Short mmCIF file of all heavy atoms in Angstrom, two decimals:
data_model
loop_
_atom_site.label_atom_id
_atom_site.label_comp_id
_atom_site.label_asym_id
_atom_site.label_seq_id
_atom_site.Cartn_x
_atom_site.Cartn_y
_atom_site.Cartn_z
N PHE E 27 -3.00 17.48 -1.46
CA PHE E 27 -1.56 17.27 -1.46
C PHE E 27 -1.12 16.42 -2.65
O PHE E 27 -0.02 16.61 -3.19
CB PHE E 27 -1.13 16.61 -0.15
CG PHE E 27 0.34 16.38 -0.04
CD1 PHE E 27 1.21 17.42 0.24
CD2 PHE E 27 0.88 15.11 -0.22
CE1 PHE E 27 2.58 17.21 0.32
CE2 PHE E 27 2.24 14.89 -0.13
CZ PHE E 27 3.10 15.95 0.15
N ASN E 28 -1.97 15.48 -3.09
CA ASN E 28 -1.60 14.63 -4.21
C ASN E 28 -1.52 15.41 -5.52
O ASN E 28 -0.85 14.97 -6.46
CB ASN E 28 -2.59 13.48 -4.34
CG ASN E 28 -2.49 12.50 -3.19
OD1 ASN E 28 -1.44 12.37 -2.56
ND2 ASN E 28 -3.58 11.81 -2.89
N SER E 29 -2.21 16.56 -5.60
CA SER E 29 -2.07 17.40 -6.79
C SER E 29 -0.66 17.96 -6.89
O SER E 29 -0.15 18.17 -8.00
CB SER E 29 -3.09 18.54 -6.76
OG SER E 29 -4.41 18.07 -6.94
N LEU E 30 -0.04 18.22 -5.75
CA LEU E 30 1.35 18.67 -5.76
C LEU E 30 2.27 17.58 -6.29
O LEU E 30 3.20 17.85 -7.07
CB LEU E 30 1.78 19.09 -4.35
CG LEU E 30 0.94 20.16 -3.65
CD1 LEU E 30 1.55 20.51 -2.29
CD2 LEU E 30 0.81 21.39 -4.51
N LEU E 31 2.03 16.33 -5.85
CA LEU E 31 2.83 15.21 -6.38
C LEU E 31 2.63 15.06 -7.87
O LEU E 31 3.58 14.75 -8.61
CB LEU E 31 2.43 13.92 -5.66
CG LEU E 31 2.56 13.90 -4.13
CD1 LEU E 31 2.16 12.53 -3.59
CD2 LEU E 31 3.98 14.24 -3.70
N LEU E 32 1.41 15.27 -8.34
CA LEU E 32 1.12 15.18 -9.77
C LEU E 32 1.91 16.21 -10.55
O LEU E 32 2.51 15.90 -11.60
CB LEU E 32 -0.38 15.36 -9.99
CG LEU E 32 -0.90 15.10 -11.41
CD1 LEU E 32 -1.02 13.60 -11.64
CD2 LEU E 32 -2.26 15.76 -11.61
N LEU E 33 1.94 17.45 -10.05
CA LEU E 33 2.70 18.50 -10.72
C LEU E 33 4.18 18.17 -10.77
O LEU E 33 4.83 18.32 -11.82
CB LEU E 33 2.48 19.83 -10.00
CG LEU E 33 3.34 21.01 -10.45
CD1 LEU E 33 3.01 21.39 -11.88
CD2 LEU E 33 3.17 22.20 -9.51
N LEU E 34 4.73 17.70 -9.66
CA LEU E 34 6.16 17.38 -9.62
C LEU E 34 6.50 16.22 -10.54
O LEU E 34 7.53 16.24 -11.22
CB LEU E 34 6.59 17.08 -8.19
CG LEU E 34 6.43 18.21 -7.17
CD1 LEU E 34 7.00 17.80 -5.83
CD2 LEU E 34 7.11 19.48 -7.67
N ALA E 35 5.65 15.20 -10.56
CA ALA E 35 5.90 14.06 -11.46
C ALA E 35 5.87 14.51 -12.92
O ALA E 35 6.67 14.04 -13.74
CB ALA E 35 4.87 12.97 -11.21
N ALA E 36 4.96 15.43 -13.24
CA ALA E 36 4.89 15.94 -14.61
C ALA E 36 6.18 16.65 -14.98
O ALA E 36 6.70 16.49 -16.10
CB ALA E 36 3.70 16.89 -14.76
N VAL E 37 6.74 17.43 -14.06
CA VAL E 37 7.97 18.17 -14.36
C VAL E 37 9.17 17.22 -14.42
O VAL E 37 10.02 17.34 -15.32
CB VAL E 37 8.20 19.26 -13.30
CG1 VAL E 37 9.56 19.90 -13.47
CG2 VAL E 37 7.09 20.30 -13.38
N VAL E 38 9.25 16.28 -13.49
CA VAL E 38 10.39 15.37 -13.47
C VAL E 38 10.45 14.51 -14.72
O VAL E 38 11.51 14.34 -15.33
CB VAL E 38 10.35 14.50 -12.19
CG1 VAL E 38 11.38 13.38 -12.28
CG2 VAL E 38 10.61 15.35 -10.96
N PHE E 39 9.31 13.97 -15.13
CA PHE E 39 9.32 13.04 -16.26
C PHE E 39 9.02 13.71 -17.59
O PHE E 39 9.21 13.08 -18.64
CB PHE E 39 8.31 11.92 -16.00
CG PHE E 39 8.71 11.01 -14.88
CD1 PHE E 39 8.21 11.19 -13.61
CD2 PHE E 39 9.62 9.99 -15.10
CE1 PHE E 39 8.59 10.36 -12.57
CE2 PHE E 39 10.01 9.15 -14.07
CZ PHE E 39 9.49 9.34 -12.80
N GLY E 40 8.58 14.94 -17.57
CA GLY E 40 8.39 15.67 -18.82
C GLY E 40 6.97 16.18 -18.97
O GLY E 40 6.07 15.40 -19.29
N ALA E 41 6.80 17.50 -18.77
CA ALA E 41 5.47 18.10 -18.89
C ALA E 41 5.16 18.52 -20.31
O ALA E 41 4.11 19.10 -20.56
CB ALA E 41 5.37 19.31 -17.96
N THR E 42 6.04 18.22 -21.26
CA THR E 42 5.83 18.64 -22.64
C THR E 42 5.69 17.47 -23.60
O THR E 42 5.74 17.67 -24.81
CB THR E 42 7.00 19.53 -23.10
OG1 THR E 42 8.22 18.79 -22.99
CG2 THR E 42 7.09 20.79 -22.26
N SER E 43 5.51 16.26 -23.10
CA SER E 43 5.43 15.11 -23.99
C SER E 43 4.47 14.07 -23.44
O SER E 43 4.27 13.96 -22.22
CB SER E 43 6.82 14.47 -24.18
OG SER E 43 7.30 13.93 -22.96
N VAL E 44 3.89 13.30 -24.34
CA VAL E 44 2.99 12.21 -23.96
C VAL E 44 3.79 11.11 -23.27
O VAL E 44 3.30 10.46 -22.33
CB VAL E 44 2.26 11.67 -25.19
CG1 VAL E 44 1.41 10.46 -24.84
CG2 VAL E 44 1.37 12.76 -25.79
N THR E 45 5.03 10.90 -23.70
CA THR E 45 5.89 9.91 -23.06
C THR E 45 6.11 10.27 -21.59
O THR E 45 6.09 9.40 -20.71
CB THR E 45 7.23 9.82 -23.79
OG1 THR E 45 7.01 9.48 -25.15
CG2 THR E 45 8.12 8.76 -23.15
N GLY E 46 6.34 11.55 -21.31
CA GLY E 46 6.51 11.98 -19.94
C GLY E 46 5.27 11.73 -19.10
O GLY E 46 5.36 11.36 -17.93
N ALA E 47 4.07 11.91 -19.70
CA ALA E 47 2.83 11.64 -18.97
C ALA E 47 2.72 10.16 -18.62
O ALA E 47 2.31 9.80 -17.50
CB ALA E 47 1.63 12.07 -19.82
N LEU E 48 3.08 9.28 -19.55
CA LEU E 48 3.02 7.84 -19.27
C LEU E 48 4.02 7.44 -18.18
O LEU E 48 3.67 6.69 -17.26
CB LEU E 48 3.30 7.06 -20.55
CG LEU E 48 3.26 5.53 -20.44
CD1 LEU E 48 1.91 5.06 -19.93
CD2 LEU E 48 3.60 4.88 -21.78
N LEU E 49 5.24 7.95 -18.27
CA LEU E 49 6.24 7.63 -17.25
C LEU E 49 5.82 8.18 -15.89
O LEU E 49 6.00 7.52 -14.86
CB LEU E 49 7.60 8.21 -17.66
CG LEU E 49 8.25 7.62 -18.91
CD1 LEU E 49 9.54 8.36 -19.24
CD2 LEU E 49 8.52 6.13 -18.72
N GLY E 50 5.26 9.40 -15.87
CA GLY E 50 4.79 9.97 -14.62
C GLY E 50 3.65 9.18 -14.02
O GLY E 50 3.58 9.01 -12.79
N GLY E 51 2.74 8.68 -14.86
CA GLY E 51 1.66 7.85 -14.37
C GLY E 51 2.16 6.57 -13.73
O GLY E 51 1.67 6.15 -12.67
N LEU E 52 3.15 5.96 -14.35
CA LEU E 52 3.74 4.75 -13.78
C LEU E 52 4.40 5.05 -12.44
O LEU E 52 4.29 4.27 -11.48
CB LEU E 52 4.75 4.16 -14.75
CG LEU E 52 4.18 3.53 -16.03
CD1 LEU E 52 5.30 3.19 -17.01
CD2 LEU E 52 3.39 2.26 -15.69
N PHE E 53 5.08 6.19 -12.35
CA PHE E 53 5.75 6.54 -11.09
C PHE E 53 4.74 6.78 -9.98
O PHE E 53 4.90 6.31 -8.84
CB PHE E 53 6.62 7.77 -11.29
CG PHE E 53 7.28 8.25 -10.03
CD1 PHE E 53 8.45 7.67 -9.59
CD2 PHE E 53 6.71 9.27 -9.28
CE1 PHE E 53 9.06 8.10 -8.41
CE2 PHE E 53 7.30 9.71 -8.11
CZ PHE E 53 8.49 9.12 -7.68
N LEU E 54 3.68 7.54 -10.28
CA LEU E 54 2.68 7.83 -9.25
C LEU E 54 1.95 6.56 -8.81
O LEU E 54 1.53 6.46 -7.65
CB LEU E 54 1.67 8.85 -9.79
CG LEU E 54 2.20 10.28 -9.95
CD1 LEU E 54 1.14 11.17 -10.58
CD2 LEU E 54 2.63 10.85 -8.61
N MET E 55 1.79 5.62 -9.71
CA MET E 55 1.19 4.34 -9.32
C MET E 55 2.12 3.59 -8.37
O MET E 55 1.67 3.03 -7.37
CB MET E 55 0.92 3.50 -10.57
CG MET E 55 0.45 2.07 -10.30
SD MET E 55 1.79 0.85 -10.04
CE MET E 55 2.59 0.87 -11.63
N TYR E 56 3.41 3.60 -8.68
CA TYR E 56 4.36 2.81 -7.89
C TYR E 56 4.73 3.48 -6.57
O TYR E 56 5.17 2.80 -5.63
CB TYR E 56 5.63 2.56 -8.70
CG TYR E 56 6.62 1.65 -8.00
CD1 TYR E 56 6.35 0.30 -7.82
CD2 TYR E 56 7.81 2.16 -7.49
CE1 TYR E 56 7.24 -0.53 -7.16
CE2 TYR E 56 8.71 1.34 -6.83
CZ TYR E 56 8.42 -0.01 -6.67
OH TYR E 56 9.30 -0.82 -6.02
N LEU E 57 4.53 4.80 -6.46
CA LEU E 57 4.94 5.52 -5.26
C LEU E 57 4.30 4.96 -3.99
O LEU E 57 5.02 4.61 -3.03
CB LEU E 57 4.62 7.01 -5.42
CG LEU E 57 5.02 7.92 -4.27
CD1 LEU E 57 6.53 7.91 -4.07
CD2 LEU E 57 4.54 9.35 -4.53
N PRO E 58 2.96 4.84 -3.89
CA PRO E 58 2.39 4.26 -2.66
C PRO E 58 2.73 2.79 -2.47
O PRO E 58 2.82 2.31 -1.34
CB PRO E 58 0.89 4.48 -2.82
CG PRO E 58 0.67 4.60 -4.28
CD PRO E 58 1.90 5.25 -4.83
N VAL E 59 2.94 2.07 -3.59
CA VAL E 59 3.32 0.66 -3.48
C VAL E 59 4.70 0.54 -2.83
O VAL E 59 4.91 -0.28 -1.92
CB VAL E 59 3.31 -0.01 -4.88
CG1 VAL E 59 3.82 -1.45 -4.78
CG2 VAL E 59 1.91 0.02 -5.47
N ALA E 60 5.64 1.37 -3.29
CA ALA E 60 6.99 1.33 -2.71
C ALA E 60 6.97 1.75 -1.25
O ALA E 60 7.67 1.16 -0.41
CB ALA E 60 7.91 2.25 -3.51
N GLN E 61 6.16 2.75 -0.91
CA GLN E 61 6.09 3.19 0.48
C GLN E 61 5.46 2.13 1.38
O GLN E 61 5.81 2.00 2.54
CB GLN E 61 5.30 4.50 0.56
CG GLN E 61 6.04 5.68 -0.06
CD GLN E 61 5.20 6.94 -0.02
OE1 GLN E 61 3.99 6.92 -0.19
NE2 GLN E 61 5.86 8.07 0.19
N SER E 62 4.51 1.38 0.82
CA SER E 62 3.87 0.32 1.61
C SER E 62 4.78 -0.89 1.77
O SER E 62 4.85 -1.48 2.85
CB SER E 62 2.55 -0.09 0.94
OG SER E 62 1.95 -1.16 1.62
N ASP E 63 5.48 -1.26 0.69
CA ASP E 63 6.35 -2.44 0.75
C ASP E 63 7.63 -2.18 1.53
O ASP E 63 8.20 -3.10 2.11
CB ASP E 63 6.70 -2.90 -0.67
CG ASP E 63 5.50 -3.45 -1.42
OD1 ASP E 63 4.48 -3.76 -0.76
OD2 ASP E 63 5.57 -3.55 -2.67
N HIS E 64 8.09 -0.92 1.54
CA HIS E 64 9.34 -0.58 2.22
C HIS E 64 9.09 0.63 3.13
O HIS E 64 9.54 1.75 2.83
CB HIS E 64 10.44 -0.27 1.21
CG HIS E 64 10.62 -1.34 0.17
ND1 HIS E 64 11.26 -2.53 0.43
CD2 HIS E 64 10.21 -1.41 -1.13
CE1 HIS E 64 11.25 -3.28 -0.67
NE2 HIS E 64 10.63 -2.63 -1.62
N PRO E 65 8.37 0.46 4.22
CA PRO E 65 8.04 1.61 5.08
C PRO E 65 9.26 2.30 5.68
O PRO E 65 9.18 3.47 6.04
CB PRO E 65 7.16 0.98 6.17
CG PRO E 65 7.49 -0.47 6.17
CD PRO E 65 7.84 -0.81 4.75
N ALA E 66 10.37 1.59 5.77
CA ALA E 66 11.56 2.21 6.37
C ALA E 66 12.11 3.33 5.51
O ALA E 66 12.80 4.23 6.01
CB ALA E 66 12.64 1.14 6.59
N ILE E 67 11.85 3.30 4.21
CA ILE E 67 12.36 4.35 3.32
C ILE E 67 11.20 5.08 2.65
O ILE E 67 11.37 5.64 1.56
CB ILE E 67 13.30 3.75 2.25
CG1 ILE E 67 12.57 2.70 1.41
CG2 ILE E 67 14.54 3.17 2.90
CD1 ILE E 67 13.37 2.25 0.19
N ALA E 68 10.04 5.11 3.28
CA ALA E 68 8.88 5.77 2.67
C ALA E 68 9.15 7.25 2.44
O ALA E 68 8.76 7.81 1.41
CB ALA E 68 7.65 5.58 3.56
N GLY E 69 9.82 7.89 3.39
CA GLY E 69 10.10 9.31 3.22
C GLY E 69 11.06 9.60 2.08
O GLY E 69 10.99 10.66 1.46
N LEU E 70 11.96 8.65 1.79
CA LEU E 70 12.92 8.87 0.71
C LEU E 70 12.23 9.00 -0.65
O LEU E 70 12.77 9.66 -1.55
CB LEU E 70 13.94 7.73 0.67
CG LEU E 70 14.99 7.72 1.78
CD1 LEU E 70 15.93 6.54 1.60
CD2 LEU E 70 15.78 9.03 1.79
N CYS E 71 11.07 8.38 -0.82
CA CYS E 71 10.34 8.50 -2.08
C CYS E 71 9.94 9.95 -2.33
O CYS E 71 10.08 10.47 -3.44
CB CYS E 71 9.11 7.60 -2.07
SG CYS E 71 9.48 5.83 -1.91
#
């Protein structure tokens, strides 16, 4: 399932640039952190 998140992050932040890869990596890192720190809005992520 996490491969699906990886694909979506690549498209949202840019699958055609190195900058998009860096931004997507930061988002995927922060995604479980945000869900853990704010469980009430975990689904919104």
Side-chain angles (χ1 to χ4, degrees):
F27 182 76
N28 292 334
S29 290
L30 304 183
L31 302 182
L32 188 78
L33 172 65
L34 298 185
V37 172
V38 169
F39 292 97
T42 59
S43 65
V44 175
T45 302
L48 180 58
L49 294 176
L52 290 170
F53 176 83
L54 288 176
M55 174 274 296
Y56 185 69
L57 181 62
V59 176
Q61 291 177 323
S62 176
D63 292 344
H64 308 284
I67 59 170
L70 286 180
C71 298

